[in-house]
Amino acid sequence: DVKVTQSSRYLVKRTGEKVFLECVQDMDHENMFWYRQDPGLGLRLIYFSYDVKMKEKGDIPEGYSVSREKKERFSLILESASTNQTSMYLCASRLLREKSYEQYFGPGTRLTVT
Amino acid sequence: GENVEQHPSTLSVQEGDSAVIKCTYSDSASNYFPWYKQELGKGPQLIIDIRSNVGEKKDQRIAVTLNKTAKHFSLHITETQPEDSAVYFCAASDSGGYQKVTFGTGTKLQVIP
């Protein structure tokens, strides 16, 4: 089974702090994604990485950056956390095969910025 | 970019009844339409998907239909069971090199025993 793990289930940070959310997948998937999930807004794509050291902005990249130095790890960075970044953050990975574009999600990190 | 609208936002059905969730998309170039189920405390998990060259797909009690002309697709769950209670997301993926996926806003399904 594919396993996507996220470093924390719950995180509380203060406004202005630099925050790192880590995601690791164990299936050698090329693609990795960061989403945030908010009630009534669904899943919104923050950044994705097509392969190692590659990154593309999603729909809401402002206030975030990412790092992918190794294939299995994709980090989301909040340079200076703000209260409007309080949310559930979901990481996903995907193996782009011809017949399957399935994304495998981690359990999520609920981040609270106070 | 792609825009996916999903309705209803909440749905309550009696156990054994059917449930239908509807989505529309805006980009006629989208060619892949997955449905994900998110149980409480977990990440979303793919339950069924359909490609643009197919009009309908079934997997046991779950079926998805696609109308490319009208740009809408639907999830049908028959003989609902309490374990079907979850949040369901539809999505559409473009045909570009990155296969970017845009999700709907989610439907919270409650199956009442």
Side-chain angles (χ1 to χ4, degrees), chain A residues 31-101:
Chain A
N31 301 170
M32 295 188 76
F33 307 82
W34 275 107
Y35 295 90
R36 63 177 282 176
Q37 180 177 8
D38 300 289
L41 297 177
L43 304 175
R44 293 181 293 165
L45 181 64
I46 305 171
Y47 266 97
F48 66 101
S49 171
Y50 202 56
D51 210 333
V52 179
K53 296 193 186 288
M54 297 176 69
K55 59 185 179 184
E56 292 290 331
K57 291 181 180 179
D59 299 317
I60 51 165
E62 297 79 17
Y64 304 94
S65 62
V66 290
S67 172
R68 190 155 179 218
E69 295 296 317
K70 293 185 178 182
K71 195 171 188 178
E72 67 270 19
R73 187 180 297 270
F74 192 33
S75 302
L76 180 68
I77 303 154
L78 286 67
E79 297 291 341
S80 177
S82 63
T83 54
N84 62 12
Q85 292 179 310
T86 291
S87 186
M88 170 69 82
Y89 289 88
L90 290 164
C91 174
S93 71
R94 179 177 70 184
L95 177 67
L96 260 189
R97 296 172 298 181
E98 185 178 340
K99 295 185 177 180
S100 174
Y101 298 122

Side-chain angles (χ1 to χ4, degrees), chain B residues 11-21 61-63 75-81 84 109-112:
Chain B
L11 180 60
S12 290
V13 299
Q14 290 292 135
E15 182 178 356
D17 287 350
S18 296
V20 180
I21 302 170
R61 296 184 298 107
I62 292 173
L75 178 71
H76 304 253
I77 305 174
T78 58
E79 299 173 18
T80 53
Q81 301 168 5
D84 294 329
L109 173 64
Q110 181 185 20
V111 179
I112 304 165

Side-chain angles (χ1 to χ4, degrees), chain B residues 1-45:
Chain B
E2 176 67 274
N3 182 50
V4 177
E5 294 191 358
Q6 182 172 348
H7 299 282
S9 56
T10 60
L11 180 60
S12 290
V13 299
Q14 290 292 135
E15 182 178 356
D17 287 350
S18 296
V20 180
I21 302 170
K22 298 183 179 182
C23 290
T24 61
Y25 62 98
S26 61
D27 187 351
S28 56
S30 289
N31 62 358
Y32 172 68
F33 306 91
W35 286 87
Y36 285 81
K37 175 184 181 182
Q38 185 179 28
E39 297 176 343
L40 201 60
K42 297 183 178 180
Q45 186 171 9

